[in-house]
Amino acid sequence: MRRFISVVLLLCAFPAWADMHDELYKAAGWPEQRGHFTEALRAAQQRYQNSLPPAVFQALVNNSNQRFAPQAMDQRAEASLRQALARPQPALAFFQSPLGRKIVAAELLATRADQLARNAQGLPKMQASDTRQLLIGHLARALPAREAGAEVSLAIAGVAADSLSSMIPGLLGGGSPQGLLEGQRERLEQQIGADLDNTLLYVYRELSDPELEEFVAFAESADGQAYYQAALAAVRAGLAVGTR
């Protein structure tokens, strides 16, 4: 009887445990960030409309809509997060905390379409104390912001290159679109890294120094690093990096 009760309790607890990844995915703002990416993609498509022949533009739209279908992106990213992050509990607890919610809100605000348009010519130069600069330096090294930012840029550029290559063979000089884009990854990461401290100072400007210190402590911890490395893998999965 005792063994039966134990099995029943285990079966009751398992779905809650298994759903922690889904809770984490939502608590960390992934669905909203994917929505912001979709908005940015639509804006990028429109920028190409006046500079490409109609057939090429339509191919670009079709390719990008297929590759970046919202539901498929969420499914790929969440599946990758499940596979890469064995213990979601610490990250979930952090992002469900008042500080975690404040961090997610700051990140979502920074990637909203109106904010991206507002800062299209560059972010304002942020002033900060030596202590805050030191904390931001630690955060810049702990977060995979360079890599994730480069992947987003390459994903959008890759759709355009694929579309142009398929419609106009030989346009890229015989090289594969992905091969050419791979050469840009390091350059993009360097560009992002050059202004990363100022970007993070701007994004997290509403965090107090103690809050920023607590954020750094989580990001640098073993659990934080496990989450952020899994998050980078999830970004790449959601963007279908390497599938074109």
Side-chain angles (χ1 to χ4, degrees), residues 8 32 106 109 115 149 153 165 181 190 204-205:
V8 170
E32 293 86 354
L109 174 63
Q115 295 299 304
S153 298
S165 179
L181 291 173
Q190 289 175 349
Y204 302 115
R205 61 193 181 278

Side-chain angles (χ1 to χ4, degrees), residues 36-54:
H36 291 175
F37 172 82
T38 299
E39 292 177 359
L41 177 65
R42 298 289 180 265
Q45 290 175 340
Q46 293 307 308
R47 288 196 296 270
Y48 283 113
Q49 186 170 14
N50 295 328
S51 58
L52 293 175

Side-chain angles (χ1 to χ4, degrees), residues 64-81:
S64 58
N65 287 349
Q66 179 180 4
R67 178 176 174 183
F68 300 127
Q71 185 176 4
M73 286 187 68
D74 282 335
Q75 289 175 345
R76 290 194 301 265
E78 188 170 352
S80 176
L81 192 66

Side-chain angles (χ1 to χ4, degrees), residues 16-25 81-82 84-96 218 223 226-227 230:
W17 175 85
D19 204 48
M20 282 188 180
H21 287 91
D22 183 62
E23 291 183 45
L24 173 59
Y25 191 79
L81 192 66
R82 288 179 183 277
L85 187 62
R87 295 181 62 248
Q89 299 94 326
L92 177 60
F94 178 78
F95 286 112
Q96 286 182 334
F218 168 73
D223 289 326
Y227 168 74

Side-chain angles (χ1 to χ4, degrees), residues 165-236:
S165 179
S166 64
M167 293 295 296
I168 311 174
L171 180 66
L172 302 179
S176 70
Q178 282 301 319
L180 294 175
L181 291 173
E182 283 296 329
Q184 298 182 31
R185 179 172 276 104
E186 183 177 353
R187 177 177 60 81
L188 283 169
E189 289 184 12
Q190 289 175 349
Q191 289 177 348
I192 294 169
D195 199 40
L196 184 55
D197 283 12
N198 190 65
T199 299
L200 296 181
L201 281 169
Y202 180 80
V203 172
Y204 302 115
R205 61 193 181 278
E206 298 299 327
L207 269 64
S208 67
D209 285 0
E211 288 174 330
L212 190 59
E213 186 173 6
E214 187 177 344
F215 184 16
V216 170
F218 168 73
E220 290 185 329
S221 70
D223 289 326
Q225 283 296 290
Y227 168 74
Y228 282 112
Q229 290 307 307
L232 178 59
V235 167
R236 288 171 171 157

